[in-house]
Amino acid sequence: MFKQKRPLALAGKALTATILVASGACFAQAYPSKPVKLVVGFAAGGPTDVVARAFADHASRALGQPFVVENKPGANTILAAQAVAAAPADGYTLLFGATNHTMIPALYGDRVKFDAVKSFQPVCTVATSPTVLVVGPAMQVRTLGAYVAKARAEPGRVTAGTAGVGSSGHFATEMFARASGLKLNHVPYKGAAPVVNDLMGGQLDSSFATLGSVLPQVEGGKLTALAVASPRRSALLPQVPTFAEAGGGDFSADAWYGVLTPAGVPAPIVQALEGAAAAFAKSAATADKLRGLGLEAASLCGAPFAEQVRREAATYTRIARELDLKAD
């Protein structure tokens, strides 16, 4: 009797596997069959929103259904991430996020109702914003080597302004200072604009800033870019060396913009989104649009993107713990 049940059990497993494969194929063929919501954790008009809307337009044409941007700003993008994490894993609610998504565990810990890593499936990045070390006229240095020498000779005297405590610039400042054995005087501001103003006015020495926030001033000669925190030079500032080229070690702090789904979305749907995102990043029209924002098109998909998210979250959490950083 027991021997007769085994073939039936095996047949049942085979039938289940067949159904799952067939279901996956159906998902791939039918998706999307209705409008897709793209949730953005920032207000309309900012860089993340502009890139999200450009991607939504491309995906709508590529996949044949409207991709509709829904702005859900607030709580350092937690509201948007929380809404997507709680959505059905069917591919019809997506998160268009940025690097600050991986800072949520570091700054909020268990105060949020989702896991910034485990609750999401990273699909693809579509753009990056290089981080660049810039100095104002008060600093009177023109190379990274001179900057490091001055900071080392005067511990705690060289000021480094950022858009706020726990911002991407703050983490970049601390990462470089620790890697280089420096003590910089971190000066947090409320946003990037006042940082740029004080740099130009001579009240601030330096800043680890996203390229888009300082590109006009660098191109106009009002600020000096010492090095780009990327694996290679930026096409937007080809004359500026990377940190590695300038003797600053293997230091990278690019900010990314990309698409994530709730965890558990079927693989065929993820693959369809990957295809749309990768094609968007490779488009000449996309490159032109991003250039005006100080961004560069970049497509990192699937497992490599997921690994980057995990690595960043772990790094930021470690630094926040060491500095006792917590968001209000």
Side-chain angles (χ1 to χ4, degrees), residues 103-176:
M103 297 174 184
I104 290 174
L107 298 174
Y108 295 90
D110 57 6
R111 288 183 288 165
V112 294
K113 299 178 181 178
F114 59 87
D115 187 307
V117 176
K118 296 179 181 179
S119 299
F120 298 88
Q121 170 65 52
V123 178
C124 278
T125 64
V126 297
T128 61
S129 177
T131 294
V132 58
L133 172 59
V134 293
V135 296
M139 191 66 185
Q140 297 183 341
V141 298
R142 292 295 177 267
T143 67
L144 180 63
Y147 177 87
V148 170
K150 185 174 181 62
R152 186 162 287 137
E154 303 175 13
R157 293 286 300 276
V158 173
T159 55
T162 71
V165 173
S167 64
S168 61
H170 185 191
F171 278 109
T173 301
E174 296 297 343
M175 288 165 63
F176 179 70

Side-chain angles (χ1 to χ4, degrees), residues 38 40 42-61 67-72 96 126 280 289:
L38 191 63
V40 179
F42 297 90
T48 307
D49 175 73
V50 172
V51 181
R53 291 180 186 278
F55 169 73
D57 180 64
H58 170 86
S60 298
R61 289 181 279 107
F67 277 62
V68 181
V69 172
E70 178 182 295
N71 296 96
K72 202 173 185 68
F96 194 89
V126 297
F280 171 72
K289 189 173 190 68

Side-chain angles (χ1 to χ4, degrees), residues 134 136 159-164 167 186-210 213-214 217 223:
V134 293
T159 55
T162 71
S167 64
H186 174 234
V187 183
Y189 287 74
K190 293 183 178 180
V195 174
V196 175
N197 289 338
D198 278 4
L199 277 170
M200 292 190 297
Q203 291 85 29
L204 186 66
D205 294 324
S206 64
S207 177
F208 285 79
T210 55
S213 66
V214 295
Q217 291 77 16
L223 297 177

